[in-house]
Each structure stands twice: as C-alpha cells, then as structure tokens.
Amino acid sequence: PPENPAAPTPPPKRLVDRWLLDPLQRRMESLGIERQDYVEATVVFNAELWSAYAGIFLISSRYQPLRTLGRTQAGQNLRKFILRQFGEGFVRLERGILTGAERFGNYSIVKPMPRMLGMQPKDFTLTLAETSVIYNVTFPGIMYASVIGMKTYFRARHTMKSNVTD
C-alpha cells in the first residue's frame, strides 16, 4: 500500500489568541501601530485611561457634580420618582451605600488617603463612588479619546523617525 502520510495539521489556536490577541493585533495594525510598539501603546493607552479617572476624581472632589445635581429640583423629582417605583427597597439600598461608604473610609488602610487630601472619610468614599459612576457613564467617550490620542502619538512618532532617517 502506498504510504501517504497525512499532512500535519497546525495546532488549534488557543482561545486567548482567537478572542483577544488576534483582534487586538488587527486593531493595533489598523491604528498604524507597529508590532514593536504594542507594549508601549498599551502603557500609553492605560495611562490615558488612569489620567481621565484622576481628572474625574479631582472634579468630583471639588464640585461633587452628582451630589449637586441631586440637590436640584430635577434631582429631587427623580428621587421621588424612584421612591415611588421601588419604595422601601431604594431607601435601604441608599442607606446601605452611605453606611458602607462611611465604614470603608474608616478602614485603617484607607484612612490616611482622605486625610492627605483634606477630606472627611465619608466624603472621600462618596467621591470615589461618584467618580466611578461618572467614569463608567462617560467611558465610551474616554475610550474613543484615548484611542485617538494613542493613534496620534504613534503616528507623530513614526513621522519623526522617518524624517530623521531621510
């Protein structure tokens, strides 16, 4: 019988390659980011996201936008509407969040942070909560701006490199 060994089949792609790394590589390439810059691009991108979070934290600690909005007539009307819809469950949830925020702010590992910022522990934790809400609501815009920033940075960098080598 003729020997016809089957052609070796390539090993199947790992799940992480198929669902995460391949799309990420395609996205980086579409942004004009070269393979040797992937790690730096990831660091730049994350730095942009953390900068946005820090900026929102600073705004929230100074202006308390959601708490200020909650004190307006529109905020009070929204609260009344939610109370009518969810009743005592909303009140318990609200009380639990405030109590938990105060407790969190009093943990020994957390306590120095509000002191360094000149804040009360409860205000610090409410600012963290407010920052998280605003950050998550605005995340699509933050993500878009970060991608554009990363793309602009690496395009400018590669333009400068090509000008130097010419």
Side-chain angles (χ1 to χ4, degrees), residues 33-112:
I33 297 170
E34 297 172 6
R35 188 176 190 84
Q36 70 267 16
D37 294 329
Y38 287 0
V39 172
E40 187 180 354
T42 303
V43 170
V44 167
F45 179 70
N46 280 292
E48 290 172 342
L49 294 179
W50 279 106
S51 297
Y53 190 89
I56 293 169
F57 180 83
L58 291 173
I59 290 168
S60 294
S61 66
R62 174 72 174 100
Y63 299 107
Q64 304 172 351
L66 295 181
R67 287 177 271 175
T68 302
L69 180 64
R71 289 189 291 269
T72 65
Q73 187 61 45
Q76 293 297 314
N77 289 342
L78 178 60
R79 188 173 193 289
K80 287 176 187 171
F81 173 77
I82 291 172
L83 278 171
R84 279 195 308 272
Q85 297 300 314
F86 300 103
E88 188 61 32
F90 175 73
V91 174
R92 281 194 309 273
L93 175 68
E94 185 179 45
R95 195 177 318 122
I97 289 171
L98 294 175
T99 302
E102 198 162 353
R103 222 176 312 135
F104 176 77
N106 285 319
Y107 285 150
S108 60
I109 197 164
V110 176
K111 222 173 197 171

Side-chain angles (χ1 to χ4, degrees), residues 25 38 42 44 61 65 69 89 95 115 123 125-127 139 152 156:
Q25 182 176 353
Y38 287 0
T42 303
V44 167
S61 66
L69 180 64
R95 195 177 318 122
R115 257 190 261 133
D123 290 334
T125 52
L126 288 174
T127 297
F139 187 74
T152 304

Side-chain angles (χ1 to χ4, degrees), residues 7-20:
T9 58
K13 280 197 159 192
R14 297 177 314 169
L15 198 59
V16 71
D17 290 332
R18 240 186 0 237
W19 288 3
L20 178 67

